[in-house]
Amino acid sequence: MTNFHTIYKLSLVAVCCFIQANSSSSSSSSSCPLMECWFVQEKTGRGGGLTGATTQEKSLLHISTDANSHGESQRVPSDISPDRVFFVTDPAATLCHRSLSPPRGSIIKPQCEINPYQPHPSTLKWVAPLTESAFSPIYLQADWLSASLHGINNEVVISSIMRAPTGTKENNVILSVTSKTVSVKSRLGKPVTLDCNFWVDRSSPLSGSGFAVEWRYQFRGEGRLVAAYDGKTDRIADTQEEGAILDFESIHEKGNASLTLQEAKVRHSGTYICTVYLPYLLAQVVVELEIVEPPSLSIHPSPLPLAVPGQTLMVQCEASGFTPLSLELGWEFKGSDGKSRRLEPGSLTGHRQAWDGTYSQSSRLELDTSKTDLGTGGELTCVAVHPGGTQQASTTISVIGFSTPSIEDSMAMVGVALVLYGLIKFMSWTFTSSGSNEADKQQKKEE
Ligand SMILES: *[C@@H]1O[C@H](CO)[C@@H](O)[C@H](O)[C@H]1NC(C)=O
């Protein structure tokens, strides 16, 4: 009886603990994350000038959607200075994205970096109208931070500008820019949309004074302006980029500054930077676009000439229209037994680039029929392995005079002979009968 009693008690305790653990975990997952970030700032030299070097300290961001819900500060880990603990209020909940709160114990972690931020007017043509009045509001005199976050699995990138009244660690998000297309792959010729959305704190004095949006492209040191829009005067900048579209209505109504490229081209592969400007502030996110197109394959000559045993067949497989330049070309042979096997790789030619930026490359196979057992022939396949997918092209090989005909072949020959015989019979019958018809007619006319 006592035993039963203890078991009963123990199970009750277990249930209690389970419920408690459950409720605490669910409450922490529904709220915004407690983010560990690197606080990175430029080292100030002895003379007050910048040395160019940076310092990096661990910091902690308590994120919440509501300023009042920042509870008593929890224990600060010993390796984080209390000076580097910040309370962030983000009414838009941008920083509460699920990819910033990975499951506990997860090995992959979101990345976060914060930096001190200095508001300043921009001189760019499409941004300058935002700060025309030329005086900086007193509102700018505060502690500003910029935060850049990268969610797990490339789900989202976020850049936020936050303001805290001087000397406090109570930061309010003023501007956030996000993208959910952190790394995009697109086929050639398809429309592709690069996501960029922004949010502005309506209660900030900077929010009523307009904004500007800019998309820049960067690849191996080369940069160009893709699109820019001054939302204050409703003007777009002249760019050389054709087929790059911003939806101005959507920008104004939803803060959706996504860029659509109507037709993906090879030269579109690269890094894109979406920058959103408020007067004195800017935040930007970086996304990657890669154009991936698998090759088209063709085999020459096709069909292959009949092969005589001992002869060396020269076959070429040409892969064209592919990008990026990363290709493996191989050969397979499937004999009459239905089994596929790999042949030795052919010799790969150098690549060529077409006018549209796509590549072509060939593999030359020297197939020595005396060394490779091809039987009576079969199917020769060229296999191209490419980041865009594996492609195949096949042709038939026939080897003649190889051996005595197989049973199937003999039966086929008998069949053919029978058909031929029948055909000849039929033809001669129709011929003679039509001939006799003619003769009949002739006779009738004469009568
Ligand atoms: C933003 O606009 C693009 C097209 O410009 C659209 O594809 C996308 O769904 C929009 N995103 C949101 C969140 O509305």
Side-chain angles (χ1 to χ4, degrees):
M1 193 62 200
T2 42
N3 263 351
F4 175 73
H5 198 72
T6 353
I7 288 171
Y8 177 71
K9 261 196 197 159
L10 274 176
S11 58
L12 204 65
V13 167
V15 166
C16 282
C17 291
F18 180 71
I19 288 171
Q20 242 177 4
N22 241 14
S23 65
S24 71
S25 77
S26 70
S27 74
S28 72
S29 70
S30 68
S31 69
C32 303
L34 176 65
M35 289 284 307
E36 262 189 42
C37 291
W38 288 109
F39 183 89
V40 179
Q41 65 179 337
E42 272 168 355
K43 237 184 229 165
T44 41
R46 223 180 267 160
L50 300 177
T51 59
T54 58
T55 60
Q56 182 167 301
E57 300 162 77
K58 270 193 179 176
S59 78
L60 210 55
L61 297 189
H62 289 270
I63 298 163
S64 160
T65 54
D66 177 3
N68 300 321
S69 73
H70 287 300
E72 284 306 297
S73 85
Q74 286 127 315
R75 280 181 290 120
V76 177
S78 57
D79 59 341
I80 297 179
S81 149
D83 265 3
R84 296 287 170 247
V85 178
F86 301 91
F87 295 89
V88 178
T89 304
D90 178 21
T94 311
L95 302 175
C96 307
H97 191 271
R98 63 169 190 282
S99 70
L100 298 176
S101 320
R104 201 164 297 172
S106 158
I107 300 164
I108 44 168
K109 294 239 163 13
Q111 293 157 28
C112 173
E113 179 180 318
I114 51 179
N115 317 94
Y117 184 81
Q118 188 63 52
H120 61 276
S122 168
T123 52
L124 286 173
K125 209 167 77 189
W126 45 93
V127 187
L130 300 182
T131 47
E132 252 163 8
S133 60
F135 76 91
S136 329
I138 196 129
Y139 173 79
L140 295 180
Q141 292 165 20
D143 291 339
W144 292 85
L145 286 177
S146 79
S148 47
L149 299 96
H150 195 135
I152 57 169
N153 303 328
N154 272 348
E155 277 183 50
V156 71
V157 282
I158 303 172
S159 170
S160 289
I161 303 296
M162 311 185 281
R163 176 187 183 272
T166 309
T168 72
K169 294 276 182 297
E170 316 274 324
N171 292 264
N172 290 296
V173 174
I174 307 300
L175 170 66
S176 278
V177 181
T178 65
S179 178
K180 297 202 162 97
T181 53
V182 182
S183 178
V184 192
K185 284 189 168 57
S186 170
R187 292 282 298 263
L188 213 55
K190 299 275 182 290
V192 52
T193 296
L194 302 175
D195 179 59
C196 180
N197 277 269
F198 65 98
W199 176 87
V200 180
D201 176 12
R202 293 267 165 205
S203 69
S204 162
L206 300 181
S207 85
S209 321
F211 63 85
V213 169
E214 179 200 272
W215 277 96
R216 291 194 74 81
Y217 167 87
Q218 226 132 27
F219 184 66
R220 292 187 188 149
E222 175 216 353
R224 61 173 186 259
L225 183 69
V226 177
Y229 175 62
D230 167 2
K232 186 180 184 186
T233 59
D234 191 26
R235 261 182 236 165
I236 51 167
D238 291 331
T239 67
Q240 299 299 310
E241 196 70 45
E242 276 172 32
I245 294 174
L246 293 174
D247 181 345
F248 306 113
E249 209 171 298
S250 189
I251 293 178
H252 281 280
E253 283 173 9
K254 299 185 216 148
N256 182 351
S258 299
L259 176 77
T260 300
L261 302 171
Q262 282 179 309
E263 207 181 304
K265 302 198 166 80
V266 173
R267 65 181 184 85
H268 287 146
S269 277
T271 302
Y272 290 78
I273 304 165
C274 172
T275 310
V276 175
Y277 298 87
L278 290 186
Y280 307 98
L281 308 181
L282 71 86
Q284 55 188 201
V285 290
V286 176
V287 303
E288 297 288 335
L289 172 64
E290 190 182 14
I291 308 302
V292 179
E293 184 70 20
S296 311
L297 300 182
S298 58
I299 294 183
H300 307 283
S302 188
L304 286 171
L306 293 176
V308 182
Q311 184 190 3
T312 298
L313 280 172
M314 304 286 276
V315 197
Q316 179 160 330
C317 175
E318 185 179 8
S320 59
F322 64 92
T323 189
L325 182 59
S326 162
L327 185 71
E328 257 176 62
L329 284 174
W331 294 90
E332 278 173 14
F333 176 76
K334 187 158 97 183
S336 49
D337 57 358
K339 277 186 202 141
S340 269
R341 60 197 156 92
R342 277 190 93 81
L343 301 176
E344 82 267 36
S347 61
L348 206 61
T349 65
H351 64 268
R352 277 171 296 125
Q353 196 165 18
W355 60 273
D356 64 353
T358 60
Y359 296 100
S360 58
Q361 199 165 20
S362 298
S363 171
R364 284 204 192 95
L365 179 69
E366 285 185 26
L367 196 54
D368 187 343
T369 52
S370 63
K371 283 190 196 142
T372 319
D373 177 20
L374 300 178
T376 54
E379 198 178 50
L380 182 67
T381 302
C382 167
V383 182
V385 180
H386 186 263
T390 300
Q391 308 286 105
Q392 297 192 340
S394 298
T395 189
T396 309
I397 295 188
S398 305
V399 182
I400 47 166
F402 172 72
S403 60
T404 51
S406 64
I407 293 180
E408 287 94 335
D409 286 347
S410 323
M411 283 172 66
M413 276 186 218
V414 171
V416 167
L418 280 174
V419 167
L420 274 178
Y421 175 75
L423 209 60
I424 290 164
K425 264 298 215 198
F426 176 75
M427 296 251 290
S428 65
W429 177 74
T430 39
F431 184 72
T432 47
S433 70
S434 75
S436 60
N437 271 350
E438 287 292 289
D440 282 355
K441 277 183 196 158
Q442 211 78 25
Q443 263 183 357
K444 273 179 189 160
K445 265 190 189 162
E446 274 165 28
E447 280 168 17

